[in-house]
Amino acid sequence: MKYPSRVITIAGSAAGGSAGIQADLKTFQELDVYGMSVVTAIVGRHPETDKNVHPQTIEAIEAQFDTAMKQVGTDGLKTGMLFSKEVISTIANLIRGSNINAVVVDPVMVGKLDSKLLAEDAIEALKKKLIPLATIITPNIPEASFLLDDRPIQDVSDLKQAAVDLYSLGAKFVLVKGGRLKGPAVDVLYDGETATLFEAPRIDTVNTSGAGCTYSAAIAAYLAKGKSVAEAVGLSKSFVTTAIEHGFSYTEMVGPTYHAAARKHGEAHEIKITRG
Ligand code: PXL
């Protein structure tokens, strides 16, 4: 029997189930990879104290990674919410010590419901210690802008320039996601030589919680299955676009992307791919 490829997510637990570890594991399941998790923090707002981020200890983080690697091993890894510089350094050391080929770093900073997912003093560790170990980084516009000292990103040409400039941080590929621009949802992939544009139609919905997590989890899953980075990005954009199209909400709050959409509705969005 051929076993499914294996992927670890190192991220925060999002109690509402739409983002973070929960989105990642749902995505892994949909894409038939064996999912494992290292929880860095628990995100959930206490109704009285208002405390929203409940960090895990470095010991707990190391213990989870060690268990997953010893019990199973892995073909790929993604990082989401890491929160502190101590956690980022710990994760960078664990990755460096473990010979993993496919490393997706999603530099999450702020959640859709305004939860703060990265401490202010953690950005340097992210840039210097973790991003250089990445196969691919997947910032959205606010994250790319923040990594580039608050540079405004207002159109596709700014997206391309951001991808080119972020490449100097040392990741092998940079994917800057333009979902927050007007018009079609265009993402730019840059590999140090060529920019490739991935375009999907804009979907008119507010229910996009977890879209970024889902996208980077899908990329990690496809890389673990042996796809090239460009193939993994195209397939994952199609997957997440279908999930966004079928997003919904149980309450008046922003709701989740629907991870099972591609399976249930039997459709995958066409993605227009052009050299830019
Ligand atoms: O969507 C980004 C995100 C990532 N990780 C965790 C989150 C969120 C958004 O709320 O809670 C744990």
Side-chain angles (χ1 to χ4, degrees):
M1 171 179 170
K2 190 178 178 307
Y3 299 119
S5 301
R6 305 156 291 182
V7 188
I8 299 179
T9 169
I10 304 179
S13 164
S18 61
I21 289 277
Q22 287 77 359
D24 294 343
L25 291 174
K26 291 173 190 182
T27 300
F28 295 161
Q29 188 69 17
E30 289 300 323
L31 297 177
D32 190 25
V33 294
Y34 182 86
M36 293 161 281
S37 60
V38 173
V39 179
T40 57
I42 294 171
V43 178
R45 195 176 296 283
H46 191 280
E48 275 139 35
T49 66
D50 212 35
K51 186 170 165 177
N52 192 29
V53 172
H54 310 267
Q56 301 299 292
T57 61
I58 296 294
E59 187 188 13
I61 290 168
E62 288 172 341
Q64 295 171 82
F65 185 83
D66 192 66
T67 301
M69 290 299 282
K70 286 206 180 114
Q71 261 181 31
V72 179
T74 200
D75 303 297
L77 176 149
K78 79 153 261 190
T79 67
M81 173 190 183
L82 302 177
F83 196 61
S84 71
K85 57 179 192 240
E86 291 78 12
V87 173
I88 292 170
S89 300
T90 301
I91 302 305
N93 288 339
L94 293 170
I95 292 173
R96 260 194 277 104
S98 60
N99 194 19
I100 301 170
N101 289 328
V103 176
V104 180
V105 172
D106 188 6
V108 297
M109 295 178 189
V110 182
K112 291 252 156 43
L113 304 174
D114 275 346
S115 19
K116 198 166 174 37
L117 306 176
L118 187 73
E120 250 143 53
D121 66 356
I123 192 82
E124 279 312 299
L126 186 65
K127 280 185 180 174
K128 300 235 161 73
K129 295 189 173 162
L130 191 59
I131 290 179
L133 304 177
T135 310
I136 179 170
I137 59 170
T138 62
N140 59 23
I141 288 180
E143 290 155 359
S145 171
F146 195 69
L147 288 165
L148 294 166
D149 299 321
D150 290 328
R151 173 197 302 181
I153 299 174
Q154 282 161 339
D155 55 26
V156 174
S157 139
D158 292 349
L159 275 185
K160 281 190 221 167
Q161 193 57 48
V164 169
D165 293 341
L166 287 170
Y167 183 77
S168 66
L169 291 177
K172 292 195 186 71
F173 287 80
V174 176
L175 180 71
V176 184
K177 301 174 293 184
R180 280 167 167 80
L181 295 177
K182 294 215 159 58
V186 177
D187 305 334
V188 177
L189 180 69
Y190 185 68
D191 64 1
E193 281 178 14
T194 311
T196 307
L197 273 58
F198 295 80
E199 180 183 318
R202 168 146 315 269
I203 292 160
D204 184 21
T205 176
V206 295
N207 298 318
T208 58
S209 179
C213 307
T214 300
Y215 195 176
S216 58
I219 294 171
Y222 281 118
L223 291 179
K225 285 166 176 260
K227 299 287 183 197
S228 72
V229 171
E231 282 174 323
V233 169
L235 290 164
S236 301
K237 186 161 175 75
S238 175
F239 180 82
V240 76
T241 303
T242 305
I244 292 169
E245 187 169 50
H246 295 278
F248 57 89
S249 184
Y250 293 106
T251 65
E252 70 287 352
M253 293 167 87
V254 169
T257 55
Y258 189 26
H259 301 95
R263 167 165 55 87
K264 271 197 88 160
H265 297 281
E267 50 189 84
H269 256 283
E270 281 289 321
I271 303 300
K272 200 169 122 197
I273 302 176
T274 45
R275 283 284 164 89

